Amino acid sequence: MTLTIAIDGPAGSGKSSVSKEAARRLSYGYLDTGAAYRALAWHTLARGADTADEAAVIDAASDFPYAISLDADDYWVRVGDTDVTSAIRELRVSAAVSGVARVAAVRERVNDLFRTLVAASALPGVIVEGRDITTVVAPDAPVRILLTAAPEVRAARRSAELTDEDAAAVATALHRRDAADSQVVDFLTAADGVSVIDSTDLDFAQTVEAVLRVAAAGGAAPTQENHDGR
Ligand SMILES: Nc1ncnc2c1ncn2[C@@H]1O[C@H](COP(=O)(O)OP(=O)(O)OP(=O)(O)O)[C@@H](O)[C@H]1O
Ligand SMILES: Nc1ccn([C@@H]2O[C@H](COP(=O)(O)O)[C@@H](O)[C@H]2O)c(=O)n1
C-alpha cells in the first residue's frame, strides 16, 4: 500500500520545493495538488471566461483533460496536449486561481482525482501537498504536516524567485491569495495530530531535514541508497 505524507500550508511556505526534495530523498512520489486548481484556472481563462464566474468554472471543468506527473525529477502538468507546467505559475493564473478553488463541485472532483492518483501509484509512498490535504484529502495519512513561515519571510522568498516583478506587488498578491483561500479551507491552524514545522528561521536544507524527521517518526523509512543522508 502507498504511504501518504500530507503537507499543507500557506502560499510561499515552501510546500512544493520542500516536498519535492523530501520525495527525492525518500524515493517517493510527489503530488502537487495546487497544480490542478491552477491548470483549471488556466483552462478557464483560455476559454475566455472569468474564474469569478462559478458557472463558467464548472463548465470548463466538464471538459478538462488534466494530467500530472508524480515524479519529482520529471515534473510536468498537461491539459490535453498542452504542457502548462510553466504557464500555470504566471501571475495572471495565480491571481485567478482562488476563484476556481472556492467552487465546491470542483474541490470534490479534484480531491477524488488526488486520491485515485495516490492509490494507483506503484510507489512506496507519495508526498501530497496543498491546503486541505491533512484535513480533507488524506486525514488518515500516517504523516501530516503543516508547513508555515512568517508572512514577510514567505513574501521575501517568493519575490526572490520572481526577480522581474515588483517585490511589493508580489507580496500583495501572495497575501491576497492567502486571504481568499482561507475563506475556503483553514490551512493556518494545525488540525489535531498535525505536526507544525515553522521554517521562518530555517534554511531550505534544514526544512527538508525537519520534514524527513517527522516522516521517519510517522513510519516513512528512508530508502537503502539514501541511508548516507544524501
Ligand atoms: N526554508 C526555506 N528557506 C529558504 N527558502 C525557502 C525555504 N523553503 C522554501 N524556500 C524557497 O521559497 C520559495 C517558495 O517556496 P515554494 O514555491 O516551495 O512554496 P509553496 O508553499 O509551494 O508556494 P505556493 O503555495 O505559492 O505554490 C522557493 O523559492 C523555495 O526555494
Ligand atoms: N489542496 C489545495 C491546493 C491548492 N488550492 C488552491 O490552488 C491554488 C494554487 O496552489 P499552490 O499550492 O500552487 O499555490 C491555491 O492558492 C488555492 O487557491 C486549494 O484550494 N487546495
Side-chain angles (χ1 to χ4, degrees):
M1 206 180 83
T2 305
L3 187 146
T4 299
I5 296 179
I7 302 187
D8 286 329
S13 59
K15 299 180 301 296
S16 47
S17 51
V18 170
S19 298
K20 246 187 208 175
E21 181 55 20
R24 286 188 190 104
R25 299 266 295 268
L26 292 167
S27 299
Y28 277 18
Y30 158 68
L31 179 56
D32 169 6
T33 63
Y37 294 95
R38 287 175 177 274
L40 183 54
W42 176 90
H43 185 55
T44 306
L45 297 174
R47 291 158 63 110
D50 185 345
T51 57
D53 178 350
E54 182 165 333
V57 172
I58 290 172
D59 196 38
S62 69
D63 174 24
F64 179 49
Y66 177 72
I68 187 166
S69 157
L70 271 59
D71 183 345
D73 289 322
D74 182 23
Y75 172 80
W76 49 257
V77 184
R78 292 183 195 134
V79 176
D81 292 336
T82 309
D83 187 316
V84 296
T85 313
S86 303
I88 61 170
R89 305 285 149 200
E90 290 171 8
L91 282 183
R92 70 184 185 95
V93 175
S94 298
V97 70
S98 298
V100 164
R102 71 183 170 79
V103 181
V106 165
R107 301 198 72 85
E108 273 175 37
R109 187 166 156 194
V110 295
N111 286 346
D112 282 347
L113 171 70
F114 302 148
R115 294 185 191 108
T116 302
L117 285 169
V118 171
S121 158
L123 295 157
V126 177
I127 300 187
V128 186
E129 58 91 357
R131 301 288 187 290
D132 59 351
I133 312 307
T134 61
T135 51
V136 177
V137 176
D140 298 327
V143 181
R144 293 184 299 148
I145 295 170
L146 180 68
L147 183 58
T148 65
E152 63 278 10
V153 170
R154 294 188 282 110
R157 288 175 184 165
R158 183 46 42 84
S159 296
E161 275 179 328
L162 303 172
T163 47
D164 292 343
E165 307 289 340
D166 175 65
V170 169
T172 301
L174 181 134
H175 298 315
R176 187 176 294 146
R177 184 153 62 93
D178 273 351
D181 289 341
S182 60
Q183 309 274 311
V184 179
V185 282
D186 182 3
F187 48 82
L188 298 172
T189 319
D192 278 354
V194 173
S195 305
V196 178
I197 297 176
D198 184 339
S199 76
T200 303
D201 297 317
L202 303 180
D203 66 18
F204 181 78
Q206 290 170 326
T207 310
V208 173
E209 290 300 335
V211 167
L212 292 175
R213 271 196 301 275
V214 174
T223 53
Q224 194 61 43
E225 64 270 28
N226 288 347
H227 276 160
D228 58 1
R230 184 167 48 81

